[in-house]
Amino acid sequence: MSRPAKFDRDLVLERAMQAFWDQGYCSTSVATLTQTTQLNPGSIYAAFESKQGLFLATLDHYGKRSVEEITQTVNSAETPLEGIRELFRQLATNVKKPKSERSCFLVNTVLDASRHNAMVRERVNHYFDLIESVFRNALASAQNNGELAIDKNPRTLATFIMTTIWGLRVLLVTGAGQDKVESVLDQLFILLD
Amino acid sequence: MSRPAKFDRDLVLERAMQAFWDQGYCSTSVATLTQTTQLNPGSIYAAFESKQGLFLATLDHYGKRSVEEITQTVNSAETPLEGIRELFRQLATNVKKPKSERSCFLVNTVLDASRHNAMVRERVNHYFDLIESVFRNALASAQNNGELAIDKNPRTLATFIMTTIWGLRVLLVTGAGQDKVESVLDQLFILLD
DNA sequence: ATAAAACTTGAACGATCACTCAAGATAAAC
DNA sequence: GTTTATCTTGAGTGATCGTTCAAGTTTTAT
């Protein structure tokens, strides 16, 4: 016996996420959020408790989708190792895309808001862990296939892959060209052979 | 025929830098800056024009010192390649240090303020370029010494080293332990052999 | 001494911040 | 149709934001 919320929660999260992603937590005012989400302050606070509550919800929105997309890309290739390579090739094509300077929402957040907020840090680390396990599993499969040498360590390589992704995100923000990005991919792929 | 400023500019820059580094540009208010620098608002604005002006000055303060320290570490080892390895070993010891979660001021800045401010971006990129050239020169020297295989490309490797540093900074912020950090170093060192 | 120039002080400015809440609107339950 | 519970609206809250500036202070040059 109550009135359901009129707005589409996923649409609101998507729009709020774009705002936070573009401008960062601190520079995104509630006034901006009311514009982009087309929700009044009251509705935002009724649904998400606070600006931080909305931010955490957008983090989940982004995190879940990232994990899905990465899993999809890595696991839908012909072989596990090829899946990982394909993921990096896709990442590299971001150079040309218009909003590549936004980097990754999780990476931006971990270097910004997470350092003084345990809740944010834990959530970001959670999604990083999930993503790393996708790589670790793929590498283990590759070893079983004989695609990856038996003396390589999937755990070590997965950590290194994560580090390379993080580094690549920064590289893209610096405005690096195609050549630099491909340099990085080449070096990483050497280690995966 | 004028009155000289009473405050120590370097000390003020150091204190302001610590504040910006700890909390980020946006979260560091001028009120905070007046406390940490022990300067009144008027003095700050007389000396640095604006909050952003002070920030840019702290960026230079940090950037110049970083370049000096990296150059020193890389060039004072017995061989160029050993210098690069030594730098990474030092970076790795940051895991234990209390403020390791602050990452690198330049990296934090490039993912935060730089994306919507060309002046900040150019300045950060400038220092990144200087640092990368330290590695490129060291690698070229290593090749002349016969320490680095002749088929390796110093330019490509220097870019990869920068990417690894950036990735390592993120890794440290996630709270990774010694083991993960050493994993990354091991993989990087393979590529330098 | 005096004048000139620059620095220091700190109260005050308008703008904007995150957030609240009373009033009105709306859907489900009966 | 009435009740009930919740959502929506948007003006308004006090706090804090970056910045300014007039008044007072201090140093140098003459």
Side-chain angles (χ1 to χ4, degrees):
Chain A
M1 56 176 77
S2 84
R3 180 185 173 191
K6 201 174 62 184
F7 66 86
D8 177 343
R9 189 184 162 91
D10 250 37
L11 182 59
V12 165
L13 283 178
E14 179 68 24
R15 287 172 169 168
M17 183 197 78
Q18 295 290 342
F20 280 129
W21 192 359
D22 264 337
Q23 315 180 39
Y25 178 79
C26 195
S27 300
T28 306
S29 69
V30 175
T32 301
L33 291 167
T34 59
Q35 287 170 16
T36 60
T37 62
Q38 308 200 38
L39 249 47
N40 285 311
S43 295
I44 291 182
Y45 281 81
F48 300 102
E49 184 97 12
S50 63
K51 181 187 174 185
Q52 169 163 289
L54 174 55
F55 181 76
L56 289 172
T58 64
L59 258 190
D60 282 331
H61 182 74
Y62 182 95
K64 283 177 187 165
R65 199 170 55 191
S66 287
V67 172
E68 280 171 18
E69 287 178 357
I70 291 170
T71 306
Q72 169 71 20
T73 300
V74 170
N75 292 342
S76 67
E78 287 203 10
T79 68
L81 224 53
E82 191 52 38
I84 293 175
R85 287 197 203 96
E86 179 56 27
L87 182 81
F88 274 90
R89 283 189 211 106
Q90 282 184 20
L91 233 168
T93 63
N94 277 342
V95 180
K96 303 169 195 161
K97 289 184 184 164
K99 291 204 172 182
S100 70
E101 75 285 353
R102 293 195 308 174
S103 179
C104 160
F105 189 32
L106 294 174
V107 176
N108 298 356
T109 299
V110 86
L111 288 182
D112 178 24
S114 98
R115 287 180 293 149
H116 290 98
N117 187 317
M119 235 183 322
V120 174
R121 185 171 53 246
E122 282 164 20
R123 217 165 286 220
V124 173
N125 280 347
H126 171 65
Y127 291 110
F128 280 158
D129 285 343
L130 289 178
I131 293 169
E132 184 165 340
S133 73
V134 173
F135 294 128
R136 200 166 50 241
N137 292 338
L139 290 165
S141 298
Q143 233 169 12
N144 288 337
N145 291 351
E147 196 185 6
L148 181 68
I150 204 73
D151 64 317
K152 303 269 187 181
N153 184 342
R155 186 169 294 272
T156 297
L157 278 179
T159 299
F160 194 78
I161 285 173
M162 291 300 289
T163 305
T164 305
I165 289 179
W166 294 327
L168 264 176
R169 292 303 201 168
V170 176
L171 183 68
L172 292 177
V173 172
T174 65
Q178 190 88 25
D179 53 334
K180 283 204 172 190
V181 176
E182 276 169 13
S183 290
V184 173
L185 263 56
D186 287 344
Q187 297 300 307
L188 176 65
F189 290 172
I190 290 176
L191 291 173
L192 296 182
D193 268 339
Chain B
M1 55 174 80
S2 83
R3 180 186 173 192
K6 201 173 61 183
F7 67 87
D8 177 344
R9 190 184 161 92
D10 250 35
L11 182 59
V12 165
L13 283 179
E14 178 68 22
R15 287 172 169 166
M17 183 197 78
Q18 294 290 343
F20 281 130
W21 192 0
D22 264 336
Q23 317 179 40
Y25 178 79
C26 195
S27 300
T28 306
S29 69
V30 175
T32 301
L33 291 167
T34 59
Q35 287 170 18
T36 60
T37 62
Q38 307 199 40
L39 251 47
N40 284 312
S43 295
I44 292 181
Y45 280 80
F48 302 101
E49 183 96 12
S50 63
K51 181 187 173 185
Q52 169 164 290
L54 175 56
F55 181 76
L56 289 172
T58 64
L59 258 190
D60 282 330
H61 183 74
Y62 182 95
K64 283 176 188 165
R65 200 170 56 190
S66 286
V67 172
E68 280 171 18
E69 287 178 357
I70 291 171
T71 306
Q72 169 71 19
T73 300
V74 170
N75 292 344
S76 67
E78 288 205 8
T79 68
L81 223 53
E82 191 52 37
I84 293 175
R85 288 197 202 95
E86 179 55 27
L87 182 81
F88 274 91
R89 283 190 211 105
Q90 282 185 18
L91 234 168
T93 62
N94 277 343
V95 179
K96 304 169 196 164
K97 290 186 185 162
K99 291 204 170 181
S100 70
E101 75 283 355
R102 293 196 308 176
S103 180
C104 159
F105 189 32
L106 294 173
V107 175
N108 297 357
T109 299
V110 86
L111 288 181
D112 177 25
S114 98
R115 286 180 294 149
H116 291 97
N117 187 318
M119 235 183 321
V120 174
R121 185 170 53 249
E122 282 164 21
R123 217 165 286 219
V124 173
N125 281 347
H126 171 66
Y127 291 110
F128 281 158
D129 285 344
L130 289 179
I131 293 169
E132 184 166 340
S133 73
V134 173
F135 294 128
R136 200 167 48 242
N137 293 337
L139 290 164
S141 298
Q143 233 169 14
N144 288 338
N145 292 351
E147 195 185 5
L148 181 68
I150 203 74
D151 63 319
K152 302 270 187 180
N153 184 340
R155 184 168 293 273
T156 296
L157 277 180
T159 299
F160 194 78
I161 285 173
M162 291 301 289
T163 304
T164 305
I165 289 179
W166 294 327
L168 263 176
R169 292 302 201 169
V170 176
L171 183 69
L172 292 177
V173 171
T174 66
Q178 189 90 26
D179 52 333
K180 283 204 171 189
V181 176
E182 276 170 13
S183 290
V184 172
L185 262 56
D186 287 344
Q187 296 300 307
L188 176 65
F189 290 172
I190 291 176
L191 291 173
L192 296 182
D193 269 338

